[in-house]
Amino acid sequence: MHDTDQLSTLSAFTRQAGEAKTDQDAFRAADEAAGRLVGHRLCTIMAFHPETMEVERCYTSNPDAYPAGGRKQKRDSEWGEHVLLQGRYFIGYNADDIRRNFNDHELIDSLGLRSILNIPVRCLGRTIGTLNLLHEAGYYNESQVGLASVIASGLAGTLMAR
């Protein structure tokens, strides 16, 4: 995709997210932009609850396997420290990386998802959620982090308004 196409996709996303009537409309716009610019077979968006160190699924592109509303405990986890507290992205390159970091790794694997890109959604220096993209093994790398981070930052207002 050319730079002008990427900019056009990002511009359309920010407009759709800003004008969305519901949080689900904004999340769907992020899903679509991430699909076009980064690629994924599953997209989820989580809100972070720092008081309990839990993430709550606000959006999913696969509601049958991953319904909205589910929560995951991240207290005392390396992933939670890295992504939620330090605000850094995480790439799981293969099923072993996913197995080490996610309790639901069997479900993830059963869907044929063997790589993951987690981007923190940050506002005023703190993590308020995550954008999570999953795909086949080896799909994600550092070159995709920039575009995914722009999309994630476009979700801050929506997550703050929930």
Side-chain angles (χ1 to χ4, degrees), residues 32-40 117 131 133 135 139-140 144-149 151:
E32 291 170 13
R36 289 192 67 199
L37 295 172
V38 181
H40 64 75
L117 176 58
L131 170 65
L133 306 175
H135 214 299
Y139 186 84
Y140 296 110
Q144 297 150 315
V145 170
L147 286 170
S149 295
I151 296 165

Side-chain angles (χ1 to χ4, degrees), residues 7-162:
L7 185 56
S8 176
T9 298
L10 288 172
S11 178
F13 159 64
T14 58
R15 187 177 56 258
Q16 290 169 339
E19 295 176 4
K21 301 291 187 220
T22 69
D23 61 354
Q24 294 302 301
D25 291 340
F27 296 151
R28 264 190 299 283
D31 178 354
E32 291 170 13
R36 289 192 67 199
L37 295 172
V38 181
H40 64 75
R41 289 181 46 206
L42 173 66
C43 172
T44 65
I45 298 167
M46 311 285 267
F48 175 45
H49 300 281
E51 64 284 353
T52 59
M53 275 301 285
E54 291 178 311
V55 289
E56 175 186 4
R57 193 173 309 104
C58 303
Y59 174 84
T60 176
S61 63
N62 184 345
D64 293 333
Y66 278 100
R71 286 191 179 214
K72 294 182 181 183
Q73 177 57 242
K74 295 300 179 182
R75 187 177 309 282
D76 300 324
S77 74
E78 188 176 315
W79 183 94
E81 174 70 27
H82 182 85
V83 175
L84 301 173
L85 300 181
Q86 295 176 12
R88 297 166 53 200
Y89 70 87
F90 173 82
I91 299 175
Y93 298 95
N94 54 48
D96 289 338
D97 290 342
I98 291 173
R99 190 175 307 107
R100 278 192 295 276
N101 289 281
F102 300 97
N103 292 336
D104 57 343
H105 61 85
E106 289 177 353
L107 176 56
I108 293 170
D109 189 65
S110 76
L111 297 171
L113 305 171
R114 300 198 173 88
S115 66
I116 190 166
L117 176 58
N118 303 116
I119 303 289
V121 178
R122 309 255 308 157
C123 186
L124 301 175
R126 64 187 180 91
T127 302
I128 60 172
T130 62
L131 170 65
N132 313 295
L133 306 175
L134 294 91
H135 214 299
E136 64 197 27
Y139 186 84
Y140 296 110
N141 60 63
E142 282 73 13
S143 71
Q144 297 150 315
V145 170
L147 286 170
S149 295
V150 172
I151 296 165
S153 70
L155 295 171
T158 301
L159 284 170
M160 290 296 291
R162 288 185 83 245

